[in-house]
């Protein structure tokens, strides 16, 4: 299986990283009681003192992803291997809602790929700990606080949003290791997001306010507000002023859903829903 694991490393990492990563991931894949294919691993430094590791694969035809960051390459690969083993088991044994909080420290991942069972790459954006009390944003459900931060959008992605139920979107979000997932809700014919937040671990928000989904399998809390209609610059101002890891908003005029998010490097990315 080792030869089927494709490894990509960022500048500044040694050849030994490739050998180490292939051995660890191949051991997990080779010991799985499932057909694991199309395994791709990417490892790159983030900043001066951290390493980001990501693996994408197909398990019995279903796409999965795991992404981990740590202070050094060995720790990042340990977390990646453990996460991949758990993700394979979760996919092959049947989906169940993940507990909340999922892990200590918090994280924010964004999404934009086709919903399975039925979008977009998630970038972690940890929420700072130890902040003063603050109110929750009406659309994200995330805490608000005043702060600054980088204001440069360095990645833009147009995602053809899949029409799927909030349940299917939540399952995809979990399988792909996202904390936010952008999709179109066929029940309301509006763009929506599901994202990881307390108290249940899953929250649903739409561009236009609507009632709860019918008989959901996922324990959603529901945003009572539609997404704010904002220009790109207004969205950047709001996300940075409130120090949010992401912001779900509607494009003026079209009301199409958009997600602005913080990358691991602190810069900003934007996902735009298209028809």
């Amino acid at each position: 299986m080792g030869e089927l694991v494709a490894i990509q490393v960022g500048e500044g990492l040694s050849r030994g990283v490739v050998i180490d990563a292939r051995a660890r991931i191949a051991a997990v894949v080779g010991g799985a009681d499932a057909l694991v294919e199309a395994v791709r691993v990417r490892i790159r430094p983030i900043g001066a003192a951290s390493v980001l590791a990501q693996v994408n694969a197909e398990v019995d035809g279903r796409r999965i992803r795991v992404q981990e960051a740590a202070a050094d390459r060995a720790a990042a690969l340990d977390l990646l291997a453990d996460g991949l083993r758990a993700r394979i088991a979760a996919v092959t044994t049947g989906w169940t809602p993940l507990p909340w909080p999922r892990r200590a420290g918090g994280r924010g991942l964004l999404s934009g790929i086709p919903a399975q069972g039925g979008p977009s790459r998630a970038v972690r954006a940890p929420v700072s700990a130890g902040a003063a009390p603050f109110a929750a944003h009406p659309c994200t459900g995330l805490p608000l606080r005043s702060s600054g931060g980088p204001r440069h959008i360095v990645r833009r992605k147009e995602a053809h949003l899949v029409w799927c139920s909030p349940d299917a979107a939540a399952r995809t979000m979990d399988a792909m290791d996202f904390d936010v997932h952008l999709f179109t809700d066929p029940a309301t014919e509006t763009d929506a997001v599901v994202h990881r937040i307390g108290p249940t671990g899953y929250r649903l928000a739409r561009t236009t306010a609507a009632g709860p989904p019918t008989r959901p399998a996922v324990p959603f809390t529901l945003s009572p507000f539609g997404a704010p209609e904002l220009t790109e610059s207004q969205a950047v101002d709001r996300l940075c002023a409130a120090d949010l890891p992401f912001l779900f908003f509607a494009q003026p005029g079209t009301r199409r859903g958009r997600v602005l998010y913080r990358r691991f490097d602190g810069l900003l990315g934007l996902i735009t829903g298209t028809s």
Side-chain angles (χ1 to χ4, degrees), residues 62 95-96 116 165-177 181 194 202 217-218:
R62 184 177 180 85
W95 180 87
T96 57
Q116 300 173 44
S165 69
D167 278 349
R171 291 185 178 97
T172 296
M173 177 177 67
D174 288 351
M176 296 302 293
D177 203 17
H181 185 61
V194 292
Y202 297 89
V218 176

Side-chain angles (χ1 to χ4, degrees), residues 62 65 87 95 98 102 107 109-111 113-116 119 122 166-182 193-197 201-203 218 220:
R62 184 177 180 85
R65 191 194 74 133
R87 190 63 37 76
W95 180 87
L98 295 176
R102 190 161 89 183
R107 55 191 242 176
L109 300 171
L110 297 175
S111 71
I113 60 167
Q116 300 173 44
D167 278 349
R171 291 185 178 97
T172 296
M173 177 177 67
D174 288 351
M176 296 302 293
D177 203 17
F178 298 143
D179 277 354
V180 183
H181 185 61
L182 180 63
V193 293
V194 292
H195 63 92
R196 296 286 284 157
I197 193 71
Y202 297 89
R203 188 170 179 87
V218 176
F220 290 114

Side-chain angles (χ1 to χ4, degrees), residues 17-57:
V17 176
V18 175
I19 299 172
D20 190 12
R22 178 169 285 116
R24 294 182 192 228
I25 299 303
V28 173
V29 172
D33 294 326
L35 178 60
V36 184
E37 302 177 292
V39 183
R40 301 181 307 281
V41 179
R42 290 187 295 176
I43 309 162
R44 65 180 178 88
I46 47 173
S50 299
V51 174
L52 178 66
Q54 177 181 314
V55 58
N56 292 68

Side-chain angles (χ1 to χ4, degrees), residues 111-127:
S111 71
I113 60 167
Q116 300 173 44
S120 312
R121 155 56 169 82
V123 178
R124 287 158 77 139
V127 178

Side-chain angles (χ1 to χ4, degrees), residues 34-190:
L35 178 60
V36 184
E37 302 177 292
V39 183
R40 301 181 307 281
V41 179
R42 290 187 295 176
I43 309 162
R44 65 180 178 88
I46 47 173
S50 299
V51 174
L52 178 66
Q54 177 181 314
V55 58
N56 292 68
E58 292 186 8
V59 180
D60 290 342
R62 184 177 180 85
R63 294 170 64 185
I64 65 169
R65 191 194 74 133
V66 178
Q67 183 174 250
E68 299 290 353
D72 58 63
R73 84 129 189 258
L77 289 176
D78 282 343
L79 290 172
L80 195 69
D82 290 344
L84 178 61
R85 189 177 293 107
R87 190 63 37 76
I88 292 171
V91 169
T92 55
T93 58
W95 180 87
T96 57
L98 295 176
W100 183 263
R102 190 161 89 183
R103 67 183 66 177
R107 55 191 242 176
L109 300 171
L110 297 175
S111 71
I113 60 167
Q116 300 173 44
S120 312
R121 155 56 169 82
V123 178
R124 287 158 77 139
V127 178
S128 300
F134 31 69
H137 188 280
C139 293
T140 66
L142 291 168
L144 289 169
R145 58 191 170 90
S146 178
S147 179
R151 308 172 75 90
H152 306 293
I153 296 178
V154 298
R155 184 180 186 191
R156 298 171 183 269
K157 180 175 181 178
E158 289 191 351
H160 182 80
L161 302 188
V162 169
W163 288 50
C164 67
S165 69
D167 278 349
R171 291 185 178 97
T172 296
M173 177 177 67
D174 288 351
M176 296 302 293
D177 203 17
F178 298 143
D179 277 354
V180 183
H181 185 61
L182 180 63
F183 68 105
T184 300
D185 177 16
T188 59
E189 299 186 356
T190 61

